[in-house]
Amino acid sequence: MLPFDSARQLVIAQSKSQAHPRPTLSLPISDALGHILAEEIRSDREYPPFHRSTRDGYAVRAADATPGASLRCIGEIKAGDTVAEPLPPGTCIQIMTGAAVPSGADAVFMIEFTSRSNDIVTFDRPAQPSQNIVARGSEAHAGDLVLPPGLRLGFAELAVAAQVGVTSIPCHKKPRVAILSTGDEVVPITETPGPFHIRNSNTISLAAQIELAGGVPVPLVNALDRVDDLSAKIEQGLRDDILVLSGGVSMGKYDLVESVLKGLGAEFFFDAVAIRPGKPTVFGRCRNTLVFGLPGNPVSTMVTFQLFVTPAIDILSGAEPRPLPLLEATLAESLQEKSGLTHFRPARLEWSASTPKVSPLRWQGSGDIAALTRSNCFLVVPSDHATIPAGEKVSVLPRFDVL
Ligand code: AMP
Ligand code: MG
């Protein structure tokens, strides 16, 4: 059975071979958050466009502003302004943060280190040339590449696009991810469940995870555990870039997902991973769609989505896959798990001490989504560890929606 990191590598390799050039669209900057940039963005001018003061204070010639020196202040420059005349030797000019430093001046003195009487300013320490000035063009020159294609557009990237005046952003279309939950016992959340029915929570959690991961969720109507119904619904899901199924991949008599997929021509890259929860996870390709068969127990579905589906969404979005952001933390209480599989235990990470501390949560197994709402991470218990004493360093996978 595959260790989870090898399974992830397989997902990454297969998704890359699937990632034919992604279609692009132009989005208003206000809608572009979370998309992947499709074309490079270059600087329209020098940044900063002028020698910019980074402090409120006095623009001086550094050589004039020696400790105890007094200089006559000849005016002021507000942000958005400058003065045409070069600064005469032996004088200074009051300047605000963000204003253009006049020619002749080569340093800005913070107002805190000066004293002023009428128009005479006295300095209490020496000035270093270029202090508190960001030189014109030092952040970017006109024509410089500021945002390369493939970049995920977060708040800083959108700010740079705004700065260089790009208000329509060339983005890759997000991949469409069909969601098909399976199970005779699973009923739509708008219906009243019978005594032995379960409401379909997985379609909701999967849609949320897909959206957070950067995909477009396409929920399908739940499939029954019957070959004809499963085939018909899977066919619908094969119209999209990725199909994520929940349920029907275990060893039960009515776990038919894998055999139905096979009947539709799927090839499989793995059909089990050495993890708990999530062991029966299936990954393959059917026609041109990457297919994930995730176990139906809600926590298994959520864990396996985060481990295996997110890199596929990254790659089909036009980005590099984001690494698993594993953290190291100190285990708060001793922990026992059966060895042989890597366990992902719902847990709570706290930063009250200098190093983060992680406490496993009490739970009833992988159906217990209520326990998961008290978690902010999964504690990763390696397959070769049966017992881990309190105080040991352990690895933690933050939940990608809350941390
Ligand atoms: P399965 O993987 O099909 O064997 O299902 C495992 C467990 O997950 C069963 O207890 C199912 O009732 C439950 N389950 C399956 N699909 C869903 C779903 N869409 N929403 C909530 N629970 C589900
Ligand atoms: Mg089932």
Side-chain angles (χ1 to χ4, degrees), residues 76-322:
E76 66 170 35
I77 312 175
K78 295 187 298 178
D81 260 359
T82 191
V83 285
E85 306 301 310
L87 185 72
T91 69
C92 65
I93 190 163
Q94 191 164 11
I95 193 164
M96 315 304 153
T97 300
V101 176
S103 64
D106 62 354
V108 168
F109 223 100
M110 284 169 72
I111 199 154
E112 289 88 335
F113 303 137
T114 63
S115 52
R116 180 165 178 171
S117 170
N118 299 320
D119 61 352
I120 299 302
V121 181
T122 309
F123 302 90
D124 74 352
R125 64 193 66 194
Q128 303 302 322
S130 82
Q131 73 180 24
N132 301 323
I133 298 173
V134 181
R136 176 173 197 266
S138 61
E139 293 166 2
H141 293 299
D144 275 0
L145 179 67
V146 287
L147 298 171
L151 206 59
R152 185 177 304 277
L153 295 166
F155 51 83
E157 292 72 20
L158 292 177
V160 168
Q163 184 182 52
V164 302
V166 176
T167 55
S168 291
I169 314 249
C171 297
H172 287 296
K173 269 191 176 163
K174 292 183 171 186
R176 289 169 57 87
V177 185
I179 305 168
L180 179 55
S181 83
T182 72
D184 289 351
E185 79 284 26
V186 178
V187 297
I189 56 173
T190 48
E191 283 176 20
T192 306
F196 304 110
H197 290 157
I198 296 289
R199 289 195 182 91
N200 181 0
S201 63
N202 282 351
T203 293
I204 297 298
S205 62
L206 283 170
Q209 287 187 295
I210 289 163
E211 198 156 336
L212 284 169
V216 178
V218 184
L220 302 173
V221 176
N222 177 65
L224 298 171
D225 294 315
R226 279 194 347 231
V227 171
D228 55 348
D229 197 44
L230 267 172
S231 300
K233 303 257 167 65
I234 287 175
E235 289 270 7
Q236 290 175 25
L238 295 178
R239 293 191 294 234
D240 294 313
D241 302 296
I242 299 176
L243 166 61
V244 178
L245 294 119
S246 93
V249 289
S250 304
M251 301 300 286
K253 186 174 165 196
Y254 296 98
D255 289 329
L256 303 170
V257 164
E258 222 178 316
S259 63
V260 170
L261 279 168
K262 202 169 283 169
L264 292 169
E267 54 173 331
F268 296 101
F269 308 115
F270 58 79
D271 64 359
V273 188
I275 54 172
R276 178 169 294 157
K279 191 168 98 172
T281 301
V282 172
F283 171 56
R285 179 187 289 116
C286 194
R287 298 178 199 156
N288 251 332
T289 299
L290 293 177
V291 181
F292 293 87
L294 309 183
N297 254 318
V299 180
S300 316
T301 316
M302 295 172 196
V303 169
T304 51
F305 182 96
Q306 182 163 349
L307 289 176
F308 306 118
V309 187
T310 50
I313 292 179
D314 281 348
I315 292 165
L316 295 198
S317 301
E320 279 299 307
R322 284 168 280 191

Side-chain angles (χ1 to χ4, degrees), residues 16 70 198 361 384 403:
K16 284 189 168 167
S70 293
I198 296 289
L361 295 169
D384 54 355
L403 270 188

